[in-house]
Amino acid sequence: MGYTVSKRKDRDAWVVRETINGRRTQRTFRTEGEAKQYALRMEAQYQEDEFNGVMGRKVIRTFAEGLQRMVSEYDVRSQKHHILCVAAWMDENAQGVVIGQELLDATRRMQKALREQGLAQSTINNRVQVVKRVLSLAYREWDWIDIPLDGKLRKPSPKNERHVYLSEIELGELLAAVPNRYQVESRVILLAMLTGMRRGELLGLNQRNVYNGRIVLKPEQTKSGKPRVVPLSEEAQALVGELPFATTEHKVRKAFEKAREAIGRPDIRFHDLRHCYASLLASKGEALTSIRDLLGHSSLTVTSRYAHADPSRWDGVMARLPKISNQTATKH
């Protein structure tokens, strides 16, 4: 066992290398003082733990180990981009960070750095969610830590919500504008319109997900990590007969971009189809609680951002209001 402090030649940083029970890890610091202080603190902690007889009860795990295990055991295609970005940031700024309070501190530094870079709050939240999921699995599934820590990371509500909603006619125009060479991709886009499912969820489907006229998503296939059931209309059922879809995320993106350009709406994003699904359900009078469950949201607060009220419905509301005054009463 031991801790060594050395300067990295390839960058202006100091490295603390640890060897515990034959297992080696390392952490990077900006200054020699920070590195030496960490090494002394960890050395003292190790000696105290050894004296108290607690060494060996829990193996110290790094965030990189957790990230690698999550990727190997779960379907994380919908988070792929953010996983790569978080891994790169941690490797550059908190290499070898251990799952625990150190990871919480590093993640908060990452949040601050991303805000200073001008990234949208929703993007920052997606990066933080990667860390939260590793922490959740480390406690609930892998038994790597003794207490839950994922709840200690906050994800402020984004102030850059999008409010892009297409009518049924506009959705039809968008679908019709998909070039003929993108037949499979057109089916993916239509199913997104009819189910409100995310692109990653759609591309991860197979025949085992279809049961009794419904799509049943497993926990590892959803962003929230919770199972979800999505009912299929007759039109949607005709699209799932040959799952999985023989396409890629890149092809779906290209098909969608060609279609939105053709109808003169370069502002539309694929994820907006999910918003449109919620909006159309709300305009038909569906309860927000049902829309929440169909979309897999954690709360009605999130759902209400997407399901705006249809102004045409107010006419019916006005008609149902009672008559308060007695207009035929005689005045004295």
Side-chain angles (χ1 to χ4, degrees), residues 282-283 285 288 307-321:
S283 70
L288 286 184
H308 68 308
D310 181 2
S312 65
R313 296 171 60 199
W314 299 141
D315 296 335
V317 173
M318 296 301 103
R320 291 193 294 273
L321 283 175

Side-chain angles (χ1 to χ4, degrees), residues 6-118:
S6 60
K7 193 174 190 300
R8 291 193 63 163
K9 296 180 180 180
D10 58 336
R11 66 177 71 168
D12 187 19
W14 290 80
V15 178
V16 177
R17 293 182 173 83
E18 312 167 36
T19 305
I20 301 177
N21 297 328
R23 181 173 170 275
R24 296 181 179 180
T25 60
Q26 67 177 35
R27 286 199 58 186
T28 303
F29 297 87
R30 298 185 184 279
T31 66
E32 181 181 12
E34 291 177 347
K36 288 184 175 180
Q37 185 178 20
Y38 172 79
L40 289 172
R41 186 173 71 253
M42 295 305 295
E43 176 77 33
Q45 183 65 54
Y46 175 85
Q47 293 178 358
E48 182 180 351
D49 289 344
E50 190 175 44
F51 177 79
N52 293 325
V54 300
M55 287 301 294
R57 291 186 183 180
K58 286 286 184 184
V59 177
I60 297 176
R61 302 286 188 174
T62 65
F63 174 67
E65 290 179 287
L67 202 58
Q68 184 176 14
R69 181 168 179 177
M70 182 180 76
V71 170
S72 65
E73 295 183 0
Y74 298 88
D75 187 340
V76 294
R77 280 175 287 188
S78 63
Q79 293 180 288
K80 180 180 177 181
H81 173 70
H82 297 296
I83 288 173
L84 292 174
C85 291
V86 172
W89 193 93
M90 291 293 181
D91 184 61
E92 177 70 23
N93 300 278
Q95 192 175 65
V97 62
V98 173
I99 293 179
Q101 185 61 46
E102 289 183 21
L103 179 57
L104 295 178
D105 294 340
T107 304
R108 290 174 184 132
R109 293 200 305 273
M110 180 181 73
Q111 286 178 295
K112 181 180 179 181
L114 296 180
R115 282 196 297 270
E116 291 174 350
Q117 291 175 24

Side-chain angles (χ1 to χ4, degrees), residues 246-272:
T247 186
T248 63
E249 182 178 340
H250 175 71
K251 289 182 178 179
V252 173
R253 183 184 299 110
K254 291 297 294 183
F256 186 81
E257 290 174 352
K258 294 288 185 181
R260 71 182 185 183
E261 290 171 6
I263 66 171
R265 289 296 303 272
D267 59 306
I268 302 172
R269 302 175 186 174
F270 189 95
H271 196 76
D272 291 332

Side-chain angles (χ1 to χ4, degrees), residues 46-230:
Y46 175 85
Q47 293 178 358
E48 182 180 351
D49 289 344
E50 190 175 44
F51 177 79
N52 293 325
V54 300
M55 287 301 294
R57 291 186 183 180
K58 286 286 184 184
V59 177
I60 297 176
R61 302 286 188 174
T62 65
F63 174 67
E65 290 179 287
L67 202 58
Q68 184 176 14
R69 181 168 179 177
M70 182 180 76
V71 170
S72 65
E73 295 183 0
Y74 298 88
D75 187 340
V76 294
R77 280 175 287 188
S78 63
Q79 293 180 288
K80 180 180 177 181
H81 173 70
H82 297 296
I83 288 173
L84 292 174
C85 291
V86 172
W89 193 93
M90 291 293 181
D91 184 61
E92 177 70 23
N93 300 278
Q95 192 175 65
V97 62
V98 173
I99 293 179
Q101 185 61 46
E102 289 183 21
L103 179 57
L104 295 178
D105 294 340
T107 304
R108 290 174 184 132
R109 293 200 305 273
M110 180 181 73
Q111 286 178 295
K112 181 180 179 181
L114 296 180
R115 282 196 297 270
E116 291 174 350
Q117 291 175 24
L119 269 67
Q121 186 60 55
S122 57
T123 300
I124 298 174
N125 287 350
N126 286 330
R127 306 279 170 86
V128 173
Q129 182 59 36
V130 172
V131 180
K132 286 172 69 71
R133 190 173 183 189
V134 170
L135 287 171
S136 176
L137 291 170
Y139 171 70
R140 294 175 175 82
E141 307 249 346
W142 305 332
D143 194 32
W144 283 5
I145 53 179
D146 293 321
I147 57 175
L149 296 175
D150 53 304
K152 293 183 176 294
L153 289 174
R154 292 180 60 254
K155 296 193 302 180
S157 298
K159 292 180 173 55
N160 59 334
E161 305 101 48
R162 286 173 57 79
H163 295 279
V164 178
Y165 305 102
L166 280 70
S167 66
E168 295 175 58
I169 294 177
E170 290 172 322
L171 288 171
E173 293 174 346
L174 177 66
L175 183 66
V178 177
N180 291 333
R181 65 179 180 275
Y182 292 112
Q183 291 296 313
V184 176
E185 293 73 26
S186 178
R187 290 165 55 202
V188 175
I189 293 171
L190 177 55
L191 192 58
M193 295 176 179
L194 297 172
T195 63
M197 293 174 61
R198 300 178 177 89
R199 181 169 49 199
E201 293 173 342
L202 291 164
L203 296 179
L205 292 175
N206 56 58
Q207 285 298 325
R208 292 190 297 274
N209 291 118
V210 182
Y211 177 77
N212 197 25
R214 300 177 178 86
I215 288 177
V216 181
L217 294 172
K218 302 175 183 178
E220 61 270 20
Q221 291 179 297
T222 66
K223 181 179 178 180
S224 65
K226 299 178 181 179
R228 189 164 95 248
V229 177
V230 182

